[in-house]
Amino acid sequence: MDKQQGRVNIFEETMAHLTYVEIEKAAAERAPILFPVGVVEEHGPHLPLAVDVYGSYLQSRRIKSELWKKGINVLIAPPFYWGMNVATASFGGSFSCREETVISVLGDAMASLKRWGFDQVFFINHHMDGGHVKALTKAIQKARKEIGIGAFWIIDQFFAKRLGFKYDEPHLLIHKSLMSSGAPPLYLSVHAEEHETSFMWHYLPELVNLEVWKTLKPTNLTMKDLLVWGKGGLEARKITPQGYFGDPTSASPEKGRTEMEAYGKVAADVIEDFVRGRYSPPG
Ligand SMILES: [Zn+2]
């Protein structure tokens, strides 16, 4: 994985680099699929638009290598990046699709997987925009019902709680949280902040503008601001004039590496538990 520093090719180690012969063999073995989901959207003045795509792709690779150690071979679908952006839509570069587009494209991709013989898909989503979250949920639920595919969203307990998800929804596989437990901090860490800056700095340092990063200040925004920000438009832009929400100044490449590795472990654990029939939602 460390060799990934420098240039990253989002097709490497995904299905897109395999032949049809390898795909058919994996389908015959009912290999589970990891499906990375991100969007192309603004990520502050110091990070490129593709942060969420790289995030979900790199997470999927970590999970794949952790599962391989447990004797579970998975494939990674080509990363999906035409999602919905509401909060950041007023910024240049935030491509935003309609809900039905997201549901249709993800649904068609799952129908293709099912047709070839795959029956388990685990979504690794790196984008928590409210509209996008709804679209992804609907896409997964619709595919389960209409295509009969075992589609699941691998999600951190912290986000499942913040999004108001019911823990026992059949399409959710909730893993223990990597966010600090205890009382939530007053100032929130949401977008293009410490976490995203850190992993980009470790894995794709040539895409982080450190000259600009040095000049940034923490936004010191609260839950009240997040609720307004989530609705998008010019009000959202006023709250985050530079496009980031949180504190990028505390980022470091070392944090990026350790957080990514820790994520790979907890997400692989929950998938292993599920595949081996011993998953139960948190109480
Ligand atoms: Zn992001």
Side-chain angles (χ1 to χ4, degrees), residues 158-188:
F158 170 87
F159 286 110
K161 192 173 170 204
R162 183 189 271 182
L163 295 168
F165 287 168
K166 281 197 244 125
Y167 290 176
D168 59 354
E169 288 277 6
H171 69 281
L172 295 180
L173 295 180
I174 301 170
H175 61 77
K176 81 172 191 273
S177 185
L178 289 171
M179 318 297 282
S180 53
S181 50
L186 176 59
Y187 298 129
L188 302 183

Side-chain angles (χ1 to χ4, degrees), residues 39 41-43 51-52 126-128 190-193 196 199:
V39 286
E41 69 167 335
E42 73 80 14
H43 272 83
V51 168
D52 292 354
H126 203 281
H127 180 55
M128 293 299 175
V190 173
H191 180 69
E193 29 55 283
E196 293 192 315
F199 87 76

Side-chain angles (χ1 to χ4, degrees), residues 23-75:
I23 297 293
E24 290 180 358
K25 183 171 174 284
E29 290 161 2
R30 297 278 181 270
I33 305 288
L34 304 179
F35 208 140
V37 171
V39 286
V40 177
E41 69 167 335
E42 73 80 14
H43 272 83
H46 62 306
L47 296 174
L49 306 180
V51 168
D52 292 354
V53 186
Y54 284 125
S56 59
Y57 165 74
L58 292 165
Q59 288 177 329
S60 299
R61 284 195 59 176
R62 287 304 316 169
I63 297 170
K64 182 174 187 262
S65 83
E66 292 295 334
L67 285 172
W68 185 79
K69 291 186 218 160
K70 298 168 183 287
I72 299 169
N73 286 317
V74 298
L75 297 188

